[in-house]
Every structure is written in C-alpha cells, then in structure tokens.
C-alpha cells in the first residue's frame, strides 16, 4: 500500500475542495492518505517528506501570482531540498492571471529534482464536477504511481 500526503493551503475553499478530491481518489485506489492543511510553516516540517511515497502539494495563487506567503511559501521553501527523487504533484486554484504562479512553482520543483507528475493541475475559481473528477483521477494516479 502506498502512502500519500496531500499538503495544501486554501484561502476560499477552492484548493481545499481539490485536496479533498485528490485524497478521496488516492484512498479509493488503496493508498494510506494523510491530508495536511497548512496554517503555519511548521505544519509539515521537511523531515516528513521521507514518510511518503508521493506528495500532492496544493496552493492557490495569491497577490501577483505567487504562493501564499505567510504559511505555505515558508513551508515549501524549507522542504525543497528534501524533494530530490520524490514523486510530487502540484495543484491549485486561481482567480486572475494565466497560471504563472504554477509555472514558477513547477520550475522550483524541477530545480529541486522532484519527480513530477505528468502535468500540474490548476482550476479557475471553484472546481466544477469535471475538475473534481480530474482531482479524484489525479489521486488515483498518485496512489498507483
């Protein structure tokens, strides 16, 4: 049985919905899943990365298309050096812009030598039924990767 973490920050609940659907898909595929909402950088310390076979990181776009600055960004920055070879999926929601925050985040994960999923997944505003189904499929992918 694979062990999957879904680590996320959500301001409006959209990214949280995505995280819950990813976790549901991974559980349905037989994975042991830990859902971690980030409210403080210490909520997912770097040493926890080694506990999981795969990790889905989710954060909505903030400000001028960047990761949330007070909790998620410091948490992710602290663990980037622990991602080499780790199976990682990135996801999140946005309300403006064109997804530049995700492209920048993807580049950081590549530089950290994470083993990234085939593609990152972003949703404009509230995830509709199709987007939620895609999140569940992404969770199943994580569980079987």
């Amino acid at each position: 049985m694979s062990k999957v973490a879904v680590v996320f920050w959500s301001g409006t609940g959209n990214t949280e919905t995505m995280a819950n659907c990813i976790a549901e898909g991974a559980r349905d595929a037989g994975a042991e899943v830990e859902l971690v909402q980030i409210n403080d950088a210490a909520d997912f310390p770097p040493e926890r990365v080694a506990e999981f076979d795969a990790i889905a990181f989710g954060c909505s776009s903030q400000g001028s298309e960047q990761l949330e600055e007070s909790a998620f960004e410091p948490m992710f920055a602290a663990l980037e050096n622990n991602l080499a070879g780790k199976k990682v999926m990135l996801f999140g929601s946005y309300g403006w812009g064109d997804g530049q925050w995700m492209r920048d985040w993807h580049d950081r994960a590549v530089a950290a030598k994470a083993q990234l999923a085939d593609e990152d997944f972003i949703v404009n505003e509230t995830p509709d039924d199709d987007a939620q189904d895609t999140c569940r499929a992404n969770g199943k992918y994580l569980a079987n990767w």
Side-chain angles (χ1 to χ4, degrees), residues 102-132:
M102 184 59 73
R103 291 190 294 278
D104 293 343
W105 191 14
H106 177 97
D107 291 347
R108 285 174 66 183
V110 167
K113 297 185 176 23
Q115 183 181 345
L116 286 169
D118 291 337
E119 65 180 64
D120 309 315
F121 188 62
I122 61 174
V123 172
N124 184 263
E125 300 294 347
T126 304
D128 62 14
D129 290 344
D130 288 342
Q132 289 182 42

Side-chain angles (χ1 to χ4, degrees), residues 41-42 44-51 74-82:
F44 194 79
E47 58 271 13
R48 300 250 13 240
V49 170
E51 297 175 26
M75 178 275 306
F76 192 80
L79 62 74
E80 271 179 279
N81 290 334
N82 297 59

Side-chain angles (χ1 to χ4, degrees), residues 46-73:
E47 58 271 13
R48 300 250 13 240
V49 170
E51 297 175 26
F52 300 94
D53 299 306
I55 304 174
F57 289 104
C59 187
S60 54
S61 174
Q62 300 291 297
S64 59
E65 290 211 63
Q66 60 204 34
L67 296 174
E68 189 278 328
E69 294 179 293
S70 66
F72 196 89
E73 170 61 38

Side-chain angles (χ1 to χ4, degrees), residues 25-49:
R27 281 189 196 103
D28 287 350
E32 177 184 337
V33 178
E34 184 171 337
L35 193 62
V36 181
Q37 184 165 3
I38 301 299
N39 296 305
D40 183 273
D43 289 340
F44 194 79
E47 58 271 13
R48 300 250 13 240
V49 170

